[in-house]
Amino acid sequence: MAETSQKALQQQILIDDSNIPDWLLTEILQRLPVKHIFKFKCVSKRWFLLISDPFFARLYSTRINTSLSTSQPWNLLFRYLYEVRIVPSSMIDTRIALKQSQDFSSPGFSLNFLPYSKHDSPIKILASSNGLLLCCETFYWQKNYYICNPLIQQWIALPKPPKAIKSVAVGFICKDDHYEVIRFPTANYGPSSTLRLETFSSETGKWHWSIVNCPVMDYYIKTDSPVVHYNGSLHWLEFRHSKIITYDPHNGTNTRLHLMNLPDDRQSEHLSLLGVSRGRFRYFEVTDTCFGPRDLRVWVLSDNDAQRWCLEYRIKFSGSWIDEVNEFIPKDNFYIFPLALHPHEFDIVYLGYGGCLVSYNLGTRKLDVVHRNFYSHQLLAFVFSPWPTTIPQPFW
């Protein structure tokens, strides 16, 4: 009898919140981690209405931005893993390399809620924008695209593109409730200076294609080259002419790709990447691979219109790392490659070194091992919005 009364009392405590005013319940809910808040929508109709109110979202975002100053939560994600055979089974679904935020504190963060993630090969992360991820099932011949919010595990599948293309450069832009996916071939070997560009818009729910001009006829973009969204335009590294290909989907008639210069004094053709740190566009390279002096260099774009780059850091590996990595990584010559830029800290970069993912502080010369037995050459600095971006339900 006593046990029955205790259970009834517990149920009453959990369910009856009629004596709690809305303002106080709102104050309580907005202090919870955002991934839990969306689950609490199911508690009652009242909680659902409070959390779904746009006022609650604005209040939550304001509190997060104030408490974090200017730094939004973020994490490093594995974009994809190349050979499943050599990767431990425990890593197949693992996406987090750096546990930077409380919302990603669990080691099991993955994309296994997507329909394709149950297959042998993990799904590929192509790009991110405004807290959403663009994913695809395959590396080549991409046709099944998904847009998802990993925090609240919401996702939609896009209609298949109109044409099968073996290798495409992909861009993704999300603003408010509208998003676009842009793709075009990664290489052009023909005599024509035009190419076919395909765009999916959530406003129309359809793919449409157009013929756009390219400044060079024989451009080449690596299939795994990540896209960078900066100043309203999409940016891809182009390797045959050592340029940056840019495209602004909202500029006039959108009939042309543009070329942007890289730093004149760069040296590396392939061990390089683009990124954005604290709103500044940067170019990051590692010179040489195994023998001789190895330099780490970072430039910042100081003038976008004039395409003027300023060298921020130039550090020789041999003189600054030996003492610091001795207890973590053997001092033999290892393959070193750039992986990512810290989205909020100018001084911190991420590298693959000695079979490990390491963070390196350019100012203090301090190196830290973030992840051992590192198998991927592709990382994505995923910054999510203070309040999760919801994906409108598809009407197609």
Side-chain angles (χ1 to χ4, degrees), residues 76-82 91 94-97 124-127 139 222-227 237 239 270 272-274 337-340 350-352 357 374-381:
L76 286 176
L77 307 186
F78 292 99
R79 290 186 62 206
Y80 42 78
L81 304 172
Y82 283 100
M91 285 186 62
T94 301
R95 291 291 172 185
I96 290 300
K124 281 67 178 169
I125 300 174
L126 304 180
F139 190 57
K222 281 186 177 180
T223 306
D224 60 357
S225 180
V227 62
L237 275 176
F239 290 93
H270 298 286
S272 59
L273 58 83
L274 301 172
F337 48 93
L339 286 171
Y350 296 91
L351 301 152
L357 165 64
F374 187 69
Y375 294 92
S376 177
H377 286 207
Q378 290 289 332
L379 289 179
L380 174 72

Side-chain angles (χ1 to χ4, degrees), residues 161-265:
K163 185 177 181 180
I165 303 175
K166 181 179 180 180
S167 178
V168 290
V170 180
F172 177 46
I173 297 177
C174 174
K175 187 175 182 181
D176 299 325
D177 292 332
H178 172 62
Y179 53 85
E180 290 180 305
V181 177
I182 294 97
R183 64 178 224 157
F184 60 91
T186 55
N188 181 22
Y189 301 103
S192 175
S193 61
T194 61
L195 58 89
R196 176 188 173 108
L197 185 143
E198 299 174 341
T199 302
F200 176 84
S201 171
S202 62
E203 292 183 342
T204 64
K206 297 179 180 179
W207 288 90
H208 72 270
W209 63 274
S210 59
I211 300 299
V212 298
N213 294 312
C214 186
V216 290
M217 292 185 293
D218 56 342
Y219 72 89
Y220 170 66
I221 300 172
K222 281 186 177 180
T223 306
D224 60 357
S225 180
V227 62
V228 176
H229 184 209
Y230 172 73
N231 199 30
S233 295
L234 299 168
H235 300 73
W236 297 268
L237 275 176
E238 193 278 331
F239 290 93
R240 182 163 288 127
H241 301 274
S242 297
K243 301 286 186 180
I244 302 172
I245 289 183
T246 71
Y247 178 69
D248 183 353
H250 305 117
N251 182 17
T253 57
N254 306 331
T255 59
R256 186 176 183 83
L257 300 179
H258 296 273
L259 286 185
M260 181 177 175
N261 293 325
L262 287 169
D264 293 332
D265 51 345

Side-chain angles (χ1 to χ4, degrees), residues 29-146:
L29 290 174
Q30 68 167 318
R31 283 164 171 75
L32 299 175
V34 70
K35 67 178 180 181
H36 298 313
I37 290 177
F38 273 72
K39 294 179 181 179
F40 291 155
K41 280 186 174 184
C42 303
V43 169
S44 67
K45 183 178 180 180
R46 181 191 181 193
W47 286 35
F48 177 85
L49 293 174
L50 280 176
I51 296 172
S52 301
D53 192 323
F55 172 75
F56 184 88
R58 292 194 297 270
L59 195 66
Y60 192 92
S61 299
T62 301
R63 188 185 66 82
I64 290 294
N65 286 331
T66 302
S67 62
L68 295 173
S69 298
T70 58
S71 298
Q72 294 173 252
W74 72 285
N75 251 294
L76 286 176
L77 307 186
F78 292 99
R79 290 186 62 206
Y80 42 78
L81 304 172
Y82 283 100
E83 294 291 338
V84 178
R85 295 189 302 273
I86 65 173
V87 178
S89 59
S90 60
M91 285 186 62
I92 296 301
D93 284 330
T94 301
R95 291 291 172 185
I96 290 300
L98 180 65
K99 296 173 179 62
Q100 187 75 11
S101 163
Q102 62 175 354
D103 285 316
F104 291 112
S105 58
S106 61
F109 174 81
S110 70
L111 299 178
N112 57 14
F113 59 89
L114 294 177
Y116 188 79
S117 63
K118 304 301 183 183
H119 295 202
D120 291 337
S121 179
I123 202 160
K124 281 67 178 169
I125 300 174
L126 304 180
S128 69
S129 180
N130 196 25
L132 300 182
L133 294 176
L134 174 66
C135 305
C136 188
E137 296 179 351
T138 56
F139 190 57
Y140 293 103
W141 301 107
Q142 296 174 4
K143 60 179 181 179
N144 295 318
Y145 292 103
Y146 304 98

Side-chain angles (χ1 to χ4, degrees), residues 343-359:
H344 303 312
E345 300 292 339
F346 280 128
D347 293 342
I348 299 177
V349 297
Y350 296 91
L351 301 152
Y353 178 57
C356 295
L357 165 64
V358 300
S359 67

